Amino acid sequence: MHEDTKVVRGIDEEKFHKTDAYMNKSLNSHRLPIYQTSTYMFDSLEEAYAAFTGEEHHHIYSRVSNPNALYLGTKVAMLEGAEAGLPFNSGMAAIFATIFTLLKPGNRILATKPVYGGTSELLTHLSQNWGIGVDVLAGEEFYEALERGGYDMVFVETPGNPTLTVYDISLISEIAHRNGAVVVVDNTFATPFHQKPLKWGADVVLHSTTKYLNGHGDTIGGVVVGSQDFISDLMHKTKMLGTLMQPFNAWLTARGLRTLAVRMRKHSENAMRIAQFLEGRPEVVEVYYPGLPSFPYHEIAKRQMENGFSGMVSFVLDGTREHLRRFMTSLEIFHFAVSLGDTDSLATSPALTTHALAEDFDFPENLVRLSVGLEDADDLIADLESALNRAFHTSAIG
Ligand SMILES: Cc1ncc(COP(=O)(O)O)c(C=O)c1O
């Protein structure tokens, strides 16, 4: 064998992987390895033909399927109580692939308001360029439109980004099904630890795994779960779109997911403490947290959510944009960054960041959104207190 061939092919990786190099035994690793490969080999023409025609399950190519992605999808499906699941290379890809699979031009979507700014932009684009009718409505207007019907999909984000508005999944599913619409829930803010939409009648649940499911702020990803038939169809569309989550990200996300319960317990305990602290501050006009008895959606949240209310808290500063600027730049433990569900506490101003390009939003410009992390609650409260003091009670502002 020439040197050129040897460096490329010297030891057959596939054989090396399948047997223990010393004992010549089957490998028995405790954790699923990262299958960082683009393609898979076939032992025969017949096997390849069966794989391509779908007669046999066989990994072919990592855009189509890969063991790490399938493992992650199956695990989230188990947590959500679904038959099957599929992960994507972003939450937005998960949302787009779901709409692409379930709808066609001429169909209509009814969505809750508020939704994540990226979702809102996508819905606007679909209505302007793809011939899909879109209504994004809040509160009573939403429920009235739902009752009137004429929609093919009802898209529910609850709690909603960034005002934590809670929608009643059970009531929505009942009306939507009566009117022939499929119900899709974005469960990113709650996670299956706090909320299981399928239990309340939803058909499809999706997440940005970038957030709590991965939980460590080091990957971008999404996941969709639902019936086996729907996920098979979604897999077929995903092959065309090229949006499947890749092995290393799927492996990292599955790794983060193992601590979901302990993390969510702490996120939610810390968030409750912070919401109570903010409620007592004169510089704060409103606090949005589903766990607060004063929150208008608390009763629905109590019924629909379990084990607490997750780690997102939003509040409105009683001041000007200058107060907001000073508050955001005075925080020391909270980092000023978008995204959420990280181990670290993050703070953002949705009106000037995530929702800046959304068609229209109806929350105050001075709303601050906190993703409460896993640090000590007293340290986080002290950080918020000192930032409020610096923003409101120093001489620079009258
Ligand atoms: C509720 C919600 N859904 C979906 C997304 C989009 O997810 P990704 O950023 O992973 O594409 C986000 C992102 O912030 C979100 O907050």
Side-chain angles (χ1 to χ4, degrees), residues 268-288:
S268 120
E269 279 166 22
N270 279 357
M272 189 67 182
R273 290 265 323 270
I274 284 172
Q276 285 164 342
F277 160 77
L278 290 168
E279 237 190 349
R281 289 294 302 207
E283 306 87 346
V284 172
V285 263
E286 243 179 313
V287 182
Y288 307 104

Side-chain angles (χ1 to χ4, degrees), residues 309-330:
F309 301 90
S310 197
M312 300 302 296
V313 179
S314 292
F315 61 99
V316 182
L317 289 173
D318 190 9
T320 60
R321 189 186 278 202
E322 179 60 10
H323 288 101
L324 175 69
R325 191 186 65 74
R326 288 176 64 109
F327 175 78
M328 293 302 293
T329 50
S330 298

Side-chain angles (χ1 to χ4, degrees), residues 89-93 95 115-116 119 157 159 161 186 188-189 206-211 220-222 339-340 354 369:
N89 52 26
S90 72
M92 287 311 301
I95 295 171
V115 281
Y116 165 59
T119 309
E157 189 181 295
N161 187 354
D186 183 334
T188 300
F189 271 37
L206 52 83
H207 290 264
S208 163
T209 61
T210 312
K211 314 301 188 320
I220 297 286
S339 202
L340 57 118
T354 50
R369 192 192 75 183

Side-chain angles (χ1 to χ4, degrees), residues 42-267:
F42 299 104
D43 288 333
S44 66
L45 255 183
E46 289 70 25
E47 189 182 58
Y49 183 74
F52 272 84
T53 52
E55 281 161 40
E56 255 177 43
H57 289 298
H58 188 301
H59 293 292
I60 296 172
Y61 186 61
S62 283
R63 166 162 54 77
V64 181
S65 73
N66 66 74
N68 298 98
L70 295 198
Y71 171 74
L72 177 63
T74 307
K75 177 106 183 239
V76 178
M78 189 256 313
L79 295 175
E80 290 283 8
E83 286 174 11
L86 194 67
F88 289 81
N89 52 26
S90 72
M92 287 311 301
I95 295 171
F96 180 67
T98 299
I99 295 174
F100 186 75
T101 301
L102 292 172
L103 299 185
K104 52 184 187 304
N107 285 164
R108 295 182 67 211
I109 305 180
L110 171 65
T112 53
K113 191 176 183 178
V115 281
Y116 165 59
T119 309
S120 167
E121 265 189 272
L122 172 65
L123 292 175
T124 304
H125 182 82
L126 291 176
S127 87
Q128 288 174 352
N129 303 292
W130 284 50
I132 291 186
V134 173
D135 288 322
V136 185
L137 299 171
E140 277 314 302
E141 268 193 306
F142 168 84
Y143 288 104
E144 278 163 24
L146 181 68
E147 239 347 308
R148 275 197 306 278
Y151 297 99
D152 302 282
M153 176 186 288
V154 178
F155 187 95
V156 182
E157 189 181 295
T158 182
N161 187 354
T163 51
L164 289 314
T165 307
V166 178
Y167 282 86
D168 187 333
I169 303 169
S170 172
L171 179 65
I172 292 170
S173 302
E174 199 260 308
I175 305 171
H177 290 158
R178 198 183 336 120
N179 291 337
V182 61
V183 177
V184 177
V185 175
D186 183 334
N187 203 25
T188 300
F189 271 37
T191 82
F193 183 72
H194 291 302
Q195 178 172 278
K196 296 193 196 305
L198 297 181
K199 186 170 106 180
W200 299 109
D203 303 293
V204 173
V205 176
L206 52 83
H207 290 264
S208 163
T209 61
T210 312
K211 314 301 188 320
Y212 290 111
L213 296 193
N214 174 54
H216 292 71
D218 49 19
T219 60
I220 297 286
V223 69
V224 181
V225 305
S227 71
Q228 183 61 64
D229 281 353
F230 164 64
I231 296 296
S232 299
D233 197 6
L234 187 67
M235 266 184 99
H236 177 237
K237 301 299 188 306
T238 301
K239 180 174 104 178
M240 295 193 261
L241 292 170
T243 48
L244 186 68
M245 190 185 278
Q246 288 306 289
F248 185 47
N249 272 9
W251 184 89
L252 276 174
T253 305
R255 183 178 193 267
L257 190 57
R258 288 203 290 273
T259 54
L260 183 74
V262 280
R263 285 187 287 105
M264 293 319 294
R265 247 183 228 113
K266 173 88 165 158
H267 280 303

Side-chain angles (χ1 to χ4, degrees), residues 350-358 361:
L352 303 177
T353 60
T354 50
H355 289 67
L357 295 179
F361 56 79

